[in-house]
């Protein structure tokens, strides 16, 4: 059975400025570029025949020339691998597109903004697809080029939202579209979260997700799909490639005696969970738990202590002051009466309101102790 | 705390004054101006120093000893079971006062802060004054600044923590945190700014979205334009082809001529073919001519050098092998001959000189003769005429004799004037002849001189040569040899150059055909030159025609000619085609310009329009932050509301304690006349009479009753304000406005009260002092 080995990647967003990283943003931009280079190297080592880039290779059409040159130079280093790309909503194929250059590597094939197909006779494969010509594109019910023979493996690249009703500014792709395409595999892009390999009719399809997360809303392992595809065959496997992961973790520090113990607790928790590479990740850590009244937390100080051990950390304080609320509620002091009233309110409230009331109680108790402020690292 | 003793070193009007107190009820009696207020102020200033008020309110100025002594003193007191002595020297201000606290039991001393009372009593000066320092009612209202502290103090009752902070402070902390997000102006807070930023982002997104839609519309237009341009180009190409065909017909003659000339040129070039595939041209011919010229030039130089060599060889031969006549005698003969010739030359020169002088003389004579001729003729001729005229006059006058004489002389003069000219002319002619003869002789003499000079020169050379030979002049021979050698070398070099150039020329020419020598080449040269000129001419003609035909290639020309059917196109058709083509081209150019402008506009807008997705991401991120901040504001508001309600509740609790205590004391003071006292948050008081419905505000009570109420409240407050260690209570003429029965009742009450809390009462009324003594109070007469 005829198969071809492909590597499916998308949404690399080379050049993206992750401003929330502050001074680390520039370093991170280069790391994303290096991840792309690792993808190419991996394709070379694994004898991949086609690399399918399903859109948003670049974060915009206005990134620095040095990034663009680096990408094209790397592609040119593997002249025997066919690299087929489509443009996404972030890097549409307009007049400013880097893909309009006259010096594109010869092994780079960019599909235009109208339905297009390229045939590679040597590997008996046809690649279909359509680029975004603009940052918004309407979805279409069908692809206008339908494979007419079974001799070739039919691979499609498409960037857009998987939506049944076609209501999206980002090239909605409906199940009917997939079914009617007669493709063997559709390499999707646009959604940064990886999907599993799905199938509608005879067509396999998947979102490979982005190879490097861009924020704390992208927490899963990132990578590419690689493997053989053919008629009725889809042996793609997920290969992690990301240098760093975004991790959101909640750590209970109720068992600690003072603030100085917090950094060690954090390091212990994340090293146990994420292994020896844990310093490489980006962490958003919510500190929770009940702490004694005299337990002061300075998020900036904790972050500073961890700054040379972790690449990036963002802390949020969700701790509450531990008090024997029941005992305190019996006191005739102002604090006691306050606690008593708050507890009563919490008890009487709906579940949805309890959280905010608890926060009010915690804030009030902190105010009895000292200055309070809007506290986020 | 119990004050045991005070000692005033100097303070106000008191000097070296001491007073002892008992632990319970103390009455200090003194008439006015005896120093009661001084003692009260001393006690307060010992614990708190003084404020920085000016004028009469400046206590330091007020109590500065009249005799100028330094204010100083001490207070001995018991606190938490230990004895202390506080010593103070008053200077200009609190910061310069010297305040020392002696721990009498431990035997230690330490310098303490100026407001040591804050530490000892846990009260500020204001709170001290408004709680345990009780004066009479009207000026003693508790102000807002101490109200908070009093509330705070009272709120610490039965607290489980280390609270020393008031409700106001707690509330402010939360409020400030809230205001940092949501300011009162709605603009300065972090959340306010985030909302503004969010609005900006959203507006930017909307504007960006509109721009994006605008770009989309422009791109549609771009697509449409491209399509139109594509169609126009197709039409233009079609027209261009037709036009080209039409032009071909028009240009058919030219095409034919082009091809004909080309054929001629090709034919000519056959005879001019070079072996390297190229053809002979003018440049080739000129190169040959140049080369030949160079060779001939070299030959001439060679010839001259060869002659020179011959001469040098001859001279050298003579020098090396002189002939027989190269002897001294011959040399002498030649010298003699030379002398003779020299003499002849001199003679000749003399003759020449003489001749020249003679000729000069003759020329002078000639000149004179020419001038004389002219001067002699005229002087005779004019008188002659005059005489003739006079004679005519005389004749008329009939003086015939005189007329005849005059007439005769006149005629004679005229004849003579004419005759003398004829005589001068022959002289001139003779002179001229003589000059000519002399000049001829002179010329001969000059020739003779020239000849002699030439002969002299030749003989000199010969003589010199003989002398050289005779002198055996080696240097000259060597010089000759060197010259000969140089000459030979130059000849060789010239020969070599000539040969080289010849070889080169033959080699260059061999591209055309072989030649043995340059004569062969010269023979062909003219023919080649003519052919090259013809070739150039033909090429120029071809260029002119080709230009007219848009530099068409010959193959294309042939093809067009083959395709042409001259009947197809008329000149009218041609004109119409040209016109259509021009119109299409103009339209096409306009469309292209429009497209270029549109593309520029699109590029500009694209570059300056932020990606809506980026803005959308920022909006989402900001909304998340705003949501968290809004939540903070919400629960901080909840905390503040609950705290306020809790405080009110708490106020009610201790307030009730205060009310309760005040009621008890008031009842005691009024012997049960009143049943209830109510105190508001701001310490406003209302009372209720026993067995009577309704309450009355304190302002509506009698002054005496009012005093009793205030005293009760202040006593209750003082009691409540004291922490674990009850503080002494100072009363300054508090029973001033009491009648006798009330006074007694109050004193009795105070006596009882003093069992728990030391009371030091100052009064100027002897009655009160007397009654106090009866109650076994410690009465001190300050006057004594």
């Amino acid at each position: 059975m005829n198969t071809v080995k492909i590597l499916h990647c998308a949404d690399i967003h080379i050049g993206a400025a992750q401003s929330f990283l502050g001074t680390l943003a520039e370093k991170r931009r280069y790391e994303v570029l290096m991840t792309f280079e690792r993808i190419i190297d991996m394709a070379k080592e694994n004898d991949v025949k086609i690399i399918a880039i399903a859109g948003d290779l670049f974060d915009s059409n206005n990134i620095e020339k040095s990034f663009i040159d680096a990408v094209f130079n790397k592609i040119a280093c593997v002249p025997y691998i066919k690299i087929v790309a489509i443009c996404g909503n972030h890097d549409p194929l307009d007049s400013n597109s880097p893909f309009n250059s006259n010096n594109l590597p010869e092994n780079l094939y960019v599909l235009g903004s109208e339905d297009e197909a390229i045939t590679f006779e040597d590997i008996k494969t046809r690649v279909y697809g359509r680029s975004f010509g603009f940052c918004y594109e309407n979805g279409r019910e069908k692809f206008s080029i339908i494979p007419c023979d079974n001799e070739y493996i039919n691979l499609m690249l498409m960037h857009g939202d998987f939506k049944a009703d076609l209501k999206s500014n980002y090239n909605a792709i409906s199940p009917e579209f997939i079914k009617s395409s007669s493709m063997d595999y559709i390499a999707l892009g646009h959604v940064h979260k990886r999907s599993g390999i799905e199938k509608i009719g005879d067509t396999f399809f998947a979102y490979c997700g982005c190879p490097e997360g861009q924020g704390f809303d992208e927490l899963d392992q990132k990578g590419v799909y690689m493997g053989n595809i053919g008629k009725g065959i889809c042996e793609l496997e997920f290969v992690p490639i990301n240098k760093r992961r975004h991790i959101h973790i909640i750590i209970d520090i109720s068992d600690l005696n003072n603030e100085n113990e917090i950094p060690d607790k954090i390091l212990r928790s994340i090293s146990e969970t994420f292994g020896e590479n844990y310093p490489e990740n980006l962490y958003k850590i919510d500190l929770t738990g009940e702490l004694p009244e005299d337990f002061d937390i300075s998020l900036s100080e904790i972050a500073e202590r961890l700054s040379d051990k972790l690449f990036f950390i963002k802390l949020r304080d969700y701790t509450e002051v531990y008090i024997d609320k029941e005992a305190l509620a019996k006191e005739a002091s102002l604090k006691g009466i306050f606690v008593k009233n708050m507890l009563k309110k919490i008890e009487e409230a709906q579940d949805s309101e309890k959280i905010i009331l608890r926060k009010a109680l915690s804030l009030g108790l902190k105010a009895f102790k000292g200055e309070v402020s809007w506290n986020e690292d | 705390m119990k004050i045991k003793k005070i000692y005033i070193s100097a303070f106000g009007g008191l000097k070296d004054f001491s007073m002892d107190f008992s632990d319970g009820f103390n009455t200090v009696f003194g008439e006015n101006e005896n120093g009661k207020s001084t003692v009260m102020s001393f006690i307060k200033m010992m614990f708190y120093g003084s404020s920085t008020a000016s004028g009469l309110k400046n206590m330091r100025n007020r109590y500065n000893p009249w005799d100028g002594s330094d204010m100083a003193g001490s207070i001995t007191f018991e606190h938490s079971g230990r004895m202390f002595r506080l010593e103070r020297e008053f200077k200009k201000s609190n910061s310069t006062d010297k305040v020392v606290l002696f721990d009498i039991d431990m035997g230690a001393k330490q310098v303490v802060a100026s407001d040591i009372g804050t530490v000892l009593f846990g009260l500020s000066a204001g709170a001290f004054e408004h709680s345990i320092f009780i004066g009479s009612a009207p000026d003693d209202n508790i102000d807002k600044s101490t109200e908070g502290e009093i509330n705070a103090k009272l709120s610490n009752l039965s607290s489980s923590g280390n609270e020393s902070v008031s409700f106001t402070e707690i509330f402010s902390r939360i409020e400030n945190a809230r205001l940092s997000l949501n300011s009162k102006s709605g603009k300065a807070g972090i959340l306010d700014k985030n909302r503004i930023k969010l609005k900006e982002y959203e507006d930017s997104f909307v504007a960006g979205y509109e721009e994006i839609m605008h770009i989309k519309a422009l791109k549609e237009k771009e697509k449409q334009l491209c399509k139109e341009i594509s169609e126009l180009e197709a039409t233009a190409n079609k027209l261009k082809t037709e036009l080209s065909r039409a032009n071909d017909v028009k240009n058919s003659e030219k095409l034919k001529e082009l091809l004909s000339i080309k054929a001629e040129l090709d034919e000519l070039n056959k005879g001019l073919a070079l072996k390297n595939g190229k053809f002979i041209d003018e440049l080739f011919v000129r190169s040959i001519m140049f080369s030949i010229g160079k060779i001939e030039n070299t030959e001439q130089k060679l010839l001259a050098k060869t002659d020179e060599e011959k001469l040098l060889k001859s001279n050298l031969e003579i020098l090396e092998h002189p002939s027989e006549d190269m002897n001294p005698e011959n040399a002498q003969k030649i010298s003699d001959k030379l002398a003779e010739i020299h003499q002849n030359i001199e003679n000749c020169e003399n003759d020449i000189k003489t001749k020249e002088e003679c000729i000069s003389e003759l020329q002078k004579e000639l000149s004179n003769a020419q001038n004389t001729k002219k001067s002699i003729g005229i002087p005779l001729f004019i008188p002659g005429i005059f005489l003739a005229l006079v004679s005519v006059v005389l004749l008329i006058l009939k003086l015939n004799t005189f007329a005849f004489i005059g007439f005769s002389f006149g005629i004679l003069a005229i004849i003579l004037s004419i005759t003398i000219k004829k005589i001068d002319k022959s002289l001139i002619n003779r002179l001229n002849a003589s000059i000519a003869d002399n000049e001829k002789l002179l010329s001969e003499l000059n020739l003779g001189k020239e000849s002699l000079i030439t002969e002299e020169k030749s003989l000199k050379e010969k003589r010199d040569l003989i002398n050289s030979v005779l002198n055996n002049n080696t240097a000259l021979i060597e010089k000759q040899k060197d010259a000969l050698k140089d000459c030979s070398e130059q000849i060789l070099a010239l020969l070599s150059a000539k040969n080289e150039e010849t070889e080169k020329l033959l080699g260059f020419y061999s591209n055309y055909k072989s030649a043995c020598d340059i004569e062969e080449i010269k023979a062909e040269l003219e023919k080649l030159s003519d052919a090259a000129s013809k070739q150039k001419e033909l090429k120029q003609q071809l260029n002119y025609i080709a230009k007219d035909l848009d530099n068409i290639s010959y193959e294309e020309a042939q093809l067009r000619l083959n395709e042409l059917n001259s009947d197809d196109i008329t000149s009218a058709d041609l004109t119409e085609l040209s016109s259509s083509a021009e119109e299409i081209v103009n339209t096409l150019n306009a469309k292209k310009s429009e497209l270029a402008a549109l593309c520029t506009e699109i590029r500009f807008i694209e570059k300056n329009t932020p990606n809506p997705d980026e803005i959308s991401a920022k909006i989402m991120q900001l909304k998340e932050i705003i949501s968290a901040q809004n939540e903070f504001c919400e629960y901080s508001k909840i905390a503040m509301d609950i705290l306020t309600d809790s405080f009110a509740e708490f106020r009610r609790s201790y307030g009730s304690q205060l009310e309760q205590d005040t009621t008890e004391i008031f009842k005691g003071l009024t012997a049960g006349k009143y049943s209830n006292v109510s105190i508001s948050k701001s310490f406003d008081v209302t009372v209720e009479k026993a067995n009577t419905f309704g309450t009355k505000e304190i302002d509506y009570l009698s002054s005496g009753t009012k005093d009793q109420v205030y005293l009760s409240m202040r006593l209750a407050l003082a009691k409540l304000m004291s922490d674990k260690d009850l503080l002494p209570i100072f009363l300054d003429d508090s029973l001033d406005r009491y009648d006798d029965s009330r006074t007694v009742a109050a004193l009795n009450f105070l006596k009882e009260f003093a069992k728990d809390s030391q009371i030091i009462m100052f009064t100027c009324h002897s009655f009160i002092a007397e009654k106090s003594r009866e109650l076994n109070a410690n009465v001190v007469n300050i006057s004594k």
Side-chain angles (χ1 to χ4, degrees), chain B residues 93-115:
Chain B
S93 66
N94 287 350
S95 58
T96 51
D97 286 352
K98 198 171 157 192
V99 189
V100 180
L101 182 68
F102 290 86
D103 187 335
I104 296 167
D105 290 339
M106 299 295 289
K109 74 171 183 182
Q110 57 174 325
V111 173
V112 294
S114 196
D115 58 344

Side-chain angles (χ1 to χ4, degrees), chain B residues 476-529:
Chain B
L476 184 61
I477 292 170
E478 287 302 318
K479 196 175 165 187
Q480 286 285 62
K481 281 183 180 173
D482 287 340
L484 181 60
K485 188 180 169 190
D486 284 342
C487 188
S488 301
E489 282 172 1
Q490 283 171 21
I491 288 169
L492 282 170
L494 284 168
L495 262 172
S496 173
K498 178 189 161 190
N499 290 339
E500 193 182 317
E501 192 62 36
T502 306
E503 286 297 323
K504 202 167 146 188
L505 173 62
L506 290 173
F508 183 72
Y509 190 80
S510 68
N511 266 326
Y512 173 51
K513 60 183 177 185
S514 304
C516 299
D517 52 36
I518 69 168
E519 296 309 319
E520 257 187 71
I521 297 172
K522 279 183 188 175
E524 280 282 307
L525 194 58
E526 191 179 338
K527 190 181 96 182
L528 290 175
S529 180

Side-chain angles (χ1 to χ4, degrees), chain B residues 372-390:
Chain B
T372 304
K373 222 174 26 178
K374 287 177 184 172
S375 60
I376 289 172
I378 290 169
L380 279 178
F381 183 75
I382 293 172
I385 294 295
F386 180 74
L387 281 173
L389 288 171
V390 167

